[in-house]
Amino acid sequence: MLDVLRYGDEEAPRAPSPTLARLDELVSRSEGAGLPVHATVKGSPRPLPPGVDQAGYRIVQEALTNIARHAGPASATVRVTYGDSDVTVEIDDDGRGSTGPGPEGSSPTGGNGIPGMRERAAVLGGELDAGPRPGGGFRVRARLPLQKEP
């Protein structure tokens, strides 16, 4: 939904849809860009409803992007947990966070990243929490229910 709003009449991407099954590729790209990432999967990975699968991937992707942009020197931990009725993605970093304006004077909290992640979760009936962790760093945690899509 967000891509449609942002890109309007552009052609749809021709690459396969991003899904949590491609988490290893996402982690590798992040590491290739200089962000150490440790990923774990708990539960039994299985096919998910397409909206849930894509939202989970995009939330992890956006959280890793935010860490690379705002956390300073940091590493990240990604946890994906497959439950009976939901999938949870949790992304933690051990960085220091932004302390001032971002690129070109933008506010570190004024972008579309966290609101976009929150919207992705809400559209599916899930929830997203994002904020500083006790002792430093930042956490993004989304719970996405596995209800059937309309």
Side-chain angles (χ1 to χ4, degrees):
M1 181 166 110
L2 293 173
D3 287 337
V4 170
L5 294 174
R6 286 191 182 128
Y7 302 113
D9 294 331
E10 292 180 19
E11 281 188 39
R14 296 179 193 258
S17 293
T19 67
L20 288 171
R22 298 177 66 196
L23 181 64
D24 289 342
E25 293 172 33
L26 180 57
V27 167
S28 292
R29 281 198 316 269
S30 295
E31 289 179 328
L35 177 65
V37 179
H38 175 73
T40 61
V41 175
K42 293 182 181 178
S44 299
R46 60 190 176 278
L48 300 172
V52 171
D53 210 0
Q54 291 175 11
Y57 179 94
R58 292 293 191 199
I59 289 168
V60 172
Q61 181 181 42
E62 182 66 30
L64 292 175
T65 299
N66 286 348
I67 293 166
R69 288 183 182 165
H70 303 295
S75 62
T77 301
V78 175
R79 286 178 292 285
V80 177
T81 304
Y82 291 85
D84 292 335
S85 60
D86 61 15
V87 64
T88 301
V89 294
E90 188 171 274
I91 308 91
D92 290 343
D93 74 67
D94 58 4
R96 59 173 170 69
S98 274
T99 57
E104 301 176 22
S106 66
S107 166
T109 58
N112 293 319
I114 292 173
M117 288 187 278
R118 191 166 280 122
E119 182 178 322
R120 285 183 190 280
V123 162
L124 297 166
E127 64 250 358
L128 182 129
D129 295 311
R133 296 183 324 145
F138 199 83
R139 171 173 289 156
V140 172
R141 184 180 186 279
R143 187 194 63 79
L144 307 171
L146 299 179
Q147 62 195 17
K148 292 191 188 271
E149 295 184 323

